[in-house]
């Protein structure tokens, strides 16, 4: 239950934004209303938000319902201990869902890549931000110099290393595919079959026919398939990496803040509310990455493997087509 509900509850606000965007499309909104009236007329629902809120309300009711049942169950009843365990379990489930939602909200704040102009970046600078960046840089230099020990987290470090390896592989493949497609475009520009060979018949004309077929049909079709089955999925995978990359980068910044505040806390015994919030932000980002990077890495590697297999299959198919058409012409020589 927790695995399902925590994803749903964390995505609830985003779902409401989608519903709001549907309202701006009259035709889509009309289709949604027609579907609701045809399938669940008894609810009187005017849009999807009526149904979207139900699971969110339901999961919070379970502890209350179990608690009420427990109140009305004698302690001597055989079901009493099982009800106690169920009530505790569902209370913990709700706590875990709320914590996961909080982590996701913190992460969402930092996963959007910002493409700011130099002027916009300068406008953001103030005394506080400059002091924060200076403190981080100083601490990073102390790490590199070995003066201050880094916070060790082998589990996270292993996950980040694999993630960076995947990101590097995707970036390299995307660069190589862009170059490959550029060369393919250049290759398709010449039209040798349009040149006048001053030969009326024989192998020269057969070569012309084969060249015309390849240039007008086989190679353009191959290019379209590469674009659809390799290039577009590769670009989508590259875009998917942006959010986690931003979060990994932000984790390092927050870790430097966390270490600085921890030192101050050990010296003074307490920290301010803002400093406590900054520490919690680091912990939330770190916990979320440790929980979700394994799955993300696994899916990214699967997608990357599928893209490479598609490209290999397309190359084999192209070679088979060219050979087939060439053999047909060779039979006539």
């Amino acid at each position: 239950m927790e695995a399902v509900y925590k994803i749903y509850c964390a995505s609830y606000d985003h779902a409401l934004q989608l519903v709001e965007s549907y309202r701006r499309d009259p035709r889509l909104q009309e289709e949604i209303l027609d579907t609701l009236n045809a399938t669940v007329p008894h609810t009187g629902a005017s849009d999807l938000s009526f149904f979207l809120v139900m699971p969110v309300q339901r999961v919070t009711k379970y502890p209350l319902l179990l608690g009420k049942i427990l109140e009305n169950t004698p302690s001597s009843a055989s079901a009493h201990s099982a009800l106690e365990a169920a009530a505790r379990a569902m209370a913990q489930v709700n706590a875990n869902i709320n914590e996961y939602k909080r982590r996701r909200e913190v992460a969402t704040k930092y996963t959007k890549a910002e493409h700011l102009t130099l002027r916009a970046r300068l406008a953001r600078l103030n005394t506080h931000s400059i002091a924060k960046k200076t403190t981080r840089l100083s601490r990073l230099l102390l790490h590199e110099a070995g003066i201050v020990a880094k916070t060790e987290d082998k589990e996270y470090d292993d996950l980040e290393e694999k993630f960076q390896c995947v990101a590097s592989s995707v970036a390299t493949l995307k660069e190589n595919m862009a170059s490959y497609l550029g060369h393919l475009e250049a290759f398709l520009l010449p039209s040798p079959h349009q040149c006048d060979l001053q030969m009326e018949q024989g192998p020269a004309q057969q070569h012309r026919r084969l060249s015309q077929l390849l240039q007008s049909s086989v190679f353009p079709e191959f290019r379209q398939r590469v674009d659809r089955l390799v290039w577009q999925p590769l670009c989508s995978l590259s875009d998917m990496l942006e959010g986690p990359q931003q979060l990994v980068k932000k984790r390092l910044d927050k870790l430097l803040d966390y270490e600085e505040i921890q030192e101050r806390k050990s010296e003074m015994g307490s920290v301010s509310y803002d400093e406590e919030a900054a520490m919690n932000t680091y912990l939330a980002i770190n916990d979320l990455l440790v929980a979700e990077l394994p799955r993300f890495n696994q899916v990214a590697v699967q997608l990357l493997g599928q893209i490479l297999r598609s490209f290999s299959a397309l190359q084999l198919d192209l070679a088979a087509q060219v050979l087939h058409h060439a053999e047909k012409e060779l039979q006539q020589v």
Side-chain angles (χ1 to χ4, degrees):
M1 290 179 66
E2 180 183 328
V4 175
Y5 271 113
K6 73 178 184 181
I7 300 296
Y8 186 91
C9 293
S11 305
Y12 176 68
D13 291 340
H14 179 61
L16 290 182
Q17 291 174 6
L18 284 177
V19 171
E20 188 61 35
S21 69
Y22 297 160
R23 291 197 184 103
R24 294 193 288 271
D25 186 336
R27 292 179 60 186
L28 180 58
Q29 186 64 16
E30 183 181 351
E31 186 174 340
I32 290 172
L33 286 174
D34 289 344
T35 304
L36 293 177
N37 291 330
T39 55
V40 282
H42 59 282
T43 62
S46 58
D47 60 29
L48 294 174
S49 59
F50 175 83
F51 300 96
L52 291 174
V53 74
M54 283 181 165
V56 177
Q57 294 174 335
R58 178 64 55 82
V59 74
T60 57
K61 284 182 180 178
Y62 284 131
L64 301 175
L65 292 170
L66 287 167
K68 198 67 178 174
I69 295 171
L70 188 60
E71 286 178 15
N72 292 277
T73 302
S75 57
S76 58
S78 59
H80 192 273
S81 60
L83 282 168
E84 280 186 324
R88 285 196 303 271
M90 284 312 302
Q92 188 60 50
V93 165
N94 272 262
N96 293 345
I97 289 172
N98 289 332
E99 178 60 20
Y100 180 80
K101 190 172 184 295
R102 185 184 72 84
R103 293 176 189 171
R104 282 284 295 270
E105 287 170 352
V106 170
T108 302
K109 179 181 176 182
Y110 298 113
T111 50
K112 296 177 182 177
E114 292 185 304
H115 306 286
L116 301 176
T117 63
L118 180 60
R119 178 176 294 183
R121 292 180 185 279
L122 290 174
R124 285 191 171 189
L125 289 177
N126 53 47
T127 308
H128 176 70
S129 64
I130 292 173
K132 184 188 290 185
K133 291 180 186 297
T134 303
T135 302
R136 288 173 180 170
L137 180 59
S138 300
R139 189 155 197 93
L140 196 59
L141 292 173
L142 291 173
H143 279 174
E144 296 301 322
I147 299 173
V148 174
K150 297 180 183 179
T151 300
E152 295 292 336
D153 189 339
K154 190 174 187 313
E155 182 182 10
Y156 171 80
D157 291 342
D158 290 343
L159 290 171
E160 188 198 346
E161 183 180 1
K162 185 170 185 179
F163 171 76
Q164 297 296 0
C165 181
V166 172
S168 175
S169 300
V170 171
T172 302
L173 182 59
K174 187 178 178 183
E175 181 182 340
N176 289 342
M177 280 305 306
S179 178
Y180 178 88
L181 291 171
H183 288 310
L184 187 59
E185 288 290 339
F187 173 73
L188 291 174
L189 288 176
S191 302
H193 55 275
Q194 295 178 358
C195 300
D196 186 6
L197 300 177
Q198 297 180 345
M199 295 180 186
E200 298 298 328
Q201 56 188 358
Q205 290 303 322
Q206 291 169 336
H207 176 271
R208 174 180 290 198
R209 283 199 304 270
L210 176 61
S211 178
Q212 183 176 3
L213 177 65
L214 296 180
Q215 293 290 117
S216 62
S217 176
V218 176
F219 288 138
E221 181 186 344
F222 170 73
R223 179 185 58 190
Q224 291 173 2
R225 294 176 72 193
V226 169
D227 181 71
R228 187 177 74 254
L229 300 174
V230 177
W231 178 248
Q232 291 180 21
L234 186 59
C235 290
S236 297
L237 178 55
S238 179
D239 292 341
M240 282 172 51
L241 293 168
E242 283 190 8
Q245 283 173 323
Q246 289 291 323
L247 204 55
V248 166
K249 180 181 176 183
K250 185 54 65 173
R251 178 195 176 275
L252 175 59
D253 291 342
K254 296 300 180 182
L255 172 60
L256 297 172
D257 296 342
Y258 179 84
E259 291 177 340
E260 191 74 23
I261 296 169
Q262 277 282 64
E263 280 190 6
R264 196 151 49 245
K265 187 175 183 178
S266 61
E267 292 173 2
M268 303 175 62
S270 63
V271 292
S272 67
Y273 174 81
D274 289 340
E275 289 174 328
E276 191 70 39
M279 293 174 69
N280 289 333
T281 297
Y282 161 73
L283 294 173
I285 293 175
N286 184 73
D287 290 344
L288 188 67
L289 285 170
V290 168
E292 299 202 350
L293 268 185
R295 177 62 179 155
F296 186 90
N297 287 341
Q298 181 185 6
V299 172
V301 169
Q302 288 174 350
L303 290 173
L304 186 59
Q306 184 58 53
I307 289 169
L308 289 170
R309 284 191 292 273
S310 297
F311 185 56
S312 299
L314 289 175
Q315 291 279 11
L316 289 169
D317 193 35
L318 174 66
Q321 286 188 63
V322 172
L323 185 59
H324 172 71
H325 292 300
E327 286 176 340
K328 285 176 63 178
E329 294 294 339
L330 281 171
Q331 289 172 1
Q332 300 178 37
V333 176

